Amino acid sequence: MDALVLHIDSFWISPYAMSAFVALEEKRLDYTLHEVSLANGEQKKASYLSRTGRVPALQHGDYWLAESIAIAEYVAETFPCTDGRPRIFPADLKERGICREVMGWLRSDLMPIREERATHTIWYEHTRTPLSAAGEQAKAKLVAACDRLIDADRTTLFKEWCIADADLSLMLQRLHTNGDDLPKKLCAYADANWQRPSIHKWNSHARRPYVAY
Ligand SMILES: N[C@@H](CCC(=O)N[C@@H](CS)C(=O)NCC(=O)O)C(=O)O
């Protein structure tokens, strides 16, 4: 098999890198990691061959692919469950549609949460700054959507875990780890996903001191 290399940010705070990492872990693939220092602009250097100059990027032999959703789809299709690999996208087409909807939505909306609860506040120093009015509004939108999406007593979107659970739990952890109140059901969902081995492996990785960039 061609070697797999996942290029991630060197502080391990990119939510997109986390999503790609979890996809590879869930598929139980052998791969190596390469840390790219965004603070030093390494993503712009000629030695970093991602077309988009961003992280994450997946290298499979001499093939390069960026964009975390594209990476998850590529991994799911290249290493299918028919080969005995666990699923990362739901089998049911309607659920798969919603899985993709959630992944797209989390990457394109809720900007105030993404800005006011940046991911370094999850894994480095938490923030004590209250959410702005726009932040509260985004939080209310997220909570309402999660309330519709997640059944009571369930810690996954669907019966089986899927890759959108990693992304959604991370969005909720931006609030939860920073002490913003969330309904009990959503705290339980976020915490359960945080303990999932693939996600826990990302969380518990030793991190170098954070430097803002
Ligand atoms: N939509 C992309 C977002 C990737 C992205 O925004 N990556 C950031 C780090 S979190 C990056 O590479 N920033 C450096 C740059 O754009 O120069 C994905 O899902 O992979």
Side-chain angles (χ1 to χ4, degrees), residues 9 14-16 38 43-44 52-56 66-69 107 213:
D9 68 298
S14 162
Y16 316 109
L38 300 178
Q43 77 279 19
K44 298 192 181 103
T52 60
R54 301 215 279 182
V55 296
E67 290 291 326
S68 54
I69 295 180
R107 285 162 177 73
Y213 56 95

Side-chain angles (χ1 to χ4, degrees), residues 132-205:
S132 66
E136 287 291 352
Q137 230 171 29
K139 178 182 146 184
K141 187 177 184 181
L142 174 65
V143 167
C146 287
D147 207 37
R148 281 195 302 271
L149 280 163
I150 304 164
D151 285 350
D153 298 328
R154 198 139 86 182
T155 55
T156 48
L157 284 166
F158 310 110
K159 208 164 154 226
E160 306 283 333
W161 181 91
C162 71
I163 189 67
D165 285 307
D167 294 345
L168 187 56
S169 63
L170 170 57
M171 184 58 82
L172 289 166
Q173 287 291 0
R174 291 174 187 262
L175 299 164
H176 190 39
T177 51
N178 280 302
D180 298 296
D181 279 344
L182 285 174
K184 234 176 164 176
K185 177 175 86 171
L186 303 192
C187 296
Y189 170 88
D191 286 340
N193 274 280
W194 233 225
Q195 289 313 314
R196 193 173 171 87
S198 58
I199 301 178
H200 182 69
K201 191 168 174 182
W202 175 271
N203 286 329
S204 57
H205 183 81

Side-chain angles (χ1 to χ4, degrees), residues 28-198:
R28 299 184 192 143
L29 291 164
D30 279 331
Y31 66 98
T32 54
L33 282 172
H34 171 236
E35 296 184 7
V36 179
S37 168
L38 300 178
N40 295 337
E42 280 175 14
Q43 77 279 19
K44 298 192 181 103
K45 293 192 177 146
S47 53
Y48 184 63
L49 292 175
S50 154
R51 226 179 320 272
T52 60
R54 301 215 279 182
V55 296
L58 180 69
Q59 201 184 338
H60 189 195
D62 55 10
Y63 175 70
W64 282 72
L65 187 66
E67 290 291 326
S68 54
I69 295 180
I71 293 170
E73 300 265 3
Y74 176 76
V75 162
E77 286 164 9
T78 308
F79 305 100
C81 43
T82 46
D83 290 355
R85 307 264 177 196
R87 284 195 158 278
I88 57 172
F89 286 94
D92 178 82
L93 288 185
K94 290 196 167 76
E95 290 184 351
R96 200 181 310 167
I98 292 170
C99 171
R100 289 174 171 143
E101 174 190 344
V102 169
M103 293 176 85
W105 177 55
L106 294 173
R107 285 162 177 73
S108 59
D109 198 357
L110 308 171
M111 216 42 220
I113 298 178
R114 285 151 70 194
E115 281 170 5
E116 296 173 33
R117 297 294 182 261
T119 48
H120 64 83
T121 68
I122 298 178
W123 292 291
Y124 289 91
E125 200 178 334
H126 301 328
T127 181
R128 293 199 182 87
T129 314
L131 287 170
S132 66
E136 287 291 352
Q137 230 171 29
K139 178 182 146 184
K141 187 177 184 181
L142 174 65
V143 167
C146 287
D147 207 37
R148 281 195 302 271
L149 280 163
I150 304 164
D151 285 350
D153 298 328
R154 198 139 86 182
T155 55
T156 48
L157 284 166
F158 310 110
K159 208 164 154 226
E160 306 283 333
W161 181 91
C162 71
I163 189 67
D165 285 307
D167 294 345
L168 187 56
S169 63
L170 170 57
M171 184 58 82
L172 289 166
Q173 287 291 0
R174 291 174 187 262
L175 299 164
H176 190 39
T177 51
N178 280 302
D180 298 296
D181 279 344
L182 285 174
K184 234 176 164 176
K185 177 175 86 171
L186 303 192
C187 296
Y189 170 88
D191 286 340
N193 274 280
W194 233 225
Q195 289 313 314
R196 193 173 171 87
S198 58

